[in-house]
Amino acid sequence: MKAIKIHEFGKPEVLKYEDIPEPKPSPGEIRIRIIAAGVNPMDWKIRSGYISELPLPTIMGLDVAGIVDAVGEGEVSFHVGDEVFAKVSIGQGGYAEYTVVNSTQVAQKPKSIGFIESAAIPTAGLAAWQSLFDIAGLDKGQSVLIHGAAGGVGTFAVQFAKWKGAYVIGTASSENAQFLKSIGADEAIDYKNQRFEDVMSNLDVVLDTIGGDTFERSWGVLKPGGFLVTTVTSIPEGNPEKYGVRAKTLMTRPDGKELAQIAAIIDEKKIKPIVTTVLPLTDARKAHEMSESHHARGKIVLRVAEDPK
Ligand SMILES: NC(=O)c1ccc[n+]([C@@H]2O[C@H](COP(=O)([O-])OP(=O)(O)OC[C@H]3O[C@@H](n4cnc5c(N)ncnc54)[C@H](OP(=O)(O)O)[C@@H]3O)[C@@H](O)[C@H]2O)c1
């Protein structure tokens, strides 16, 4: 099968399109014939050597949508022919024609959308879901400020928070202000021209997908007992106590049950994945360059095979 692998860490040029053997599913695993693979900032971070102890060579990619074409011994949850999507573990391979994955990481894909949009969901969708609901416990009537609201995680977070009945404020550049409103934000703050802490205070939740100065300035806009969740940085010791709030760094878990919940609200037409760029698998380098710009809107997806329908 074809796959995009790296044999060394480095720039996009280290991404190699190669022939490798097809993987075989072990007990508890299923094999997916991949139709589309989502691209995440974690992919280029891994490619650049962010996880220096990662054994090489490795296949790139974390998010897939495709068709089950083999099941491991004893596997009963999925059957050959099922249309599924999954967050695979690092090294299992998403930028490839086939992958094997533990069935607990897999869900039936939303029926109302295609493989391309389904492949955009796993990492970013789970990151938003787990940050807002599993960690911060965001609820109806609460307020949430989402930094990086126009990005992969942010576009899911804005829609999930709105679906939950929260008051949603997103930060993005002015070019994305109307876009944020179109996906459900009540307010958009142009981070280039306005300091969010000048206009926001007493919030229930802040979701930070940016880090640095944005993360540091976020402590003061929470109400006492509020929650700061960040996808990108560690929590300085003593800060939650100092500001009288709670805080946690997200580590996204693969979770087929949560993917099934997300699929259900997509099929109810309450939210939709925002895919702005689709490239062939052979253009993985270009996909990484676009993601590394830090200004991609929504998601970038690689087309691995034609949709059989
Ligand atoms: N811990 C975990 O488990 C986990 C899971 C998922 C993601 N992450 C991390 O979370 C981060 C975000 O991921 P992502 O997929 O959402 O990234 P992304 O799609 O690449 O984010 C791009 C977006 O960031 C916005 N942006 C850039 N600088 C900004 C700023 N200073 N303030 C507000 N918005 C800004 C851009 O909007 P404009 O073009 O309008 O500037 C753009 O829409 C990444 O670092 C990723 O690795 C971590």
Side-chain angles (χ1 to χ4, degrees):
M1 69 167 184
K2 297 289 187 194
I4 301 280
K5 290 180 80 175
I6 56 168
H7 294 260
E8 59 183 322
F9 299 123
K11 295 191 183 324
E13 292 68 40
V14 301
L15 297 170
K16 306 287 183 202
Y17 184 66
E18 293 180 355
D19 283 301
I20 60 168
E22 285 170 15
K24 291 196 171 48
S26 301
E29 288 182 336
I30 63 172
R31 185 168 70 187
I32 301 171
R33 182 165 75 81
I34 299 173
I35 308 291
V39 175
N40 292 284
M42 191 56 169
D43 300 349
W44 55 258
K45 291 181 189 180
I46 288 173
R47 191 208 70 222
S48 308
Y50 177 73
I51 307 175
S52 55
E53 65 279 13
L54 185 70
L56 297 180
T58 190
I59 311 172
M60 297 302 299
L62 299 170
D63 292 348
V64 301
I67 300 169
V68 176
D69 93 318
V71 296
E73 211 184 297
E75 174 51 46
V76 292
S77 320
F78 294 93
H79 304 95
V80 170
D82 284 354
E83 298 187 351
V84 296
F85 68 135
K87 175 169 167 61
V88 305
S89 303
I90 292 171
Q92 273 178 315
Y95 296 4
E97 289 181 310
Y98 293 87
T99 192
V100 293
V101 56
N102 191 293
S103 63
T104 59
Q105 298 172 220
V106 183
Q108 305 286 348
K109 85 165 187 44
K111 290 187 175 44
S112 57
I113 60 173
F115 291 100
I116 295 281
E117 285 174 299
S118 299
I121 302 168
T123 295
L126 288 172
W129 187 275
Q130 292 171 11
S131 296
L132 295 177
F133 304 139
D134 299 350
I135 296 176
L138 182 73
D139 213 345
K140 191 177 166 143
Q142 292 190 320
S143 52
V144 58
L145 172 62
I146 297 163
H147 292 306
V153 177
T155 48
F156 281 104
V158 167
Q159 297 183 79
F160 288 156
K162 196 66 197 166
W163 165 76
K164 195 70 169 175
Y167 187 83
V168 186
I169 310 115
T171 63
S173 60
S174 55
E175 293 80 18
N176 278 321
Q178 274 315 313
F179 167 65
L180 290 195
K181 299 231 169 116
S182 76
I183 59 168
D186 296 290
E187 289 182 59
I189 298 178
D190 168 10
Y191 68 87
K192 291 184 179 163
N193 290 305
Q194 191 161 37
R195 289 174 72 82
F196 61 85
E197 66 273 37
D198 291 345
V199 286
M200 287 294 142
S201 61
N202 219 35
L203 300 172
D204 292 291
V205 175
V206 176
L207 170 56
D208 163 47
T209 72
I210 302 298
D213 177 52
T214 301
F215 169 73
E216 283 160 22
R217 292 190 283 123
S218 292
W219 295 96
V221 301
L222 286 162
K223 64 165 59 156
F227 217 123
L228 173 54
V229 189
T230 176
T231 63
V232 282
T233 191
S234 52
I235 308 296
E237 217 182 300
N239 263 30
E241 296 75 14
K242 182 173 153 194
Y243 290 96
V245 300
R246 295 166 292 163
K248 189 161 178 174
T249 304
L250 172 79
M251 288 285 293
T252 308
R253 283 177 290 107
D255 188 328
K257 289 202 176 101
E258 288 189 337
L259 285 180
Q261 285 180 276
I262 294 170
I265 62 172
I266 288 173
D267 282 340
E268 287 166 16
K269 306 274 194 255
K270 298 286 197 284
I271 76 136
K272 58 176 187 212
I274 308 292
V275 177
T276 53
T277 306
V278 182
L279 293 166
L281 180 62
T282 45
D283 271 352
R285 291 179 185 175
K286 186 171 172 197
H288 276 217
E289 282 161 6
M290 292 177 79
S291 179
E292 285 188 75
S293 75
H294 297 285
H295 293 290
R297 180 191 280 185
K299 295 288 301 179
I300 302 165
V301 175
L302 296 169
R303 186 189 301 282
V304 178
E306 285 307 313
D307 186 333
K309 282 182 189 156

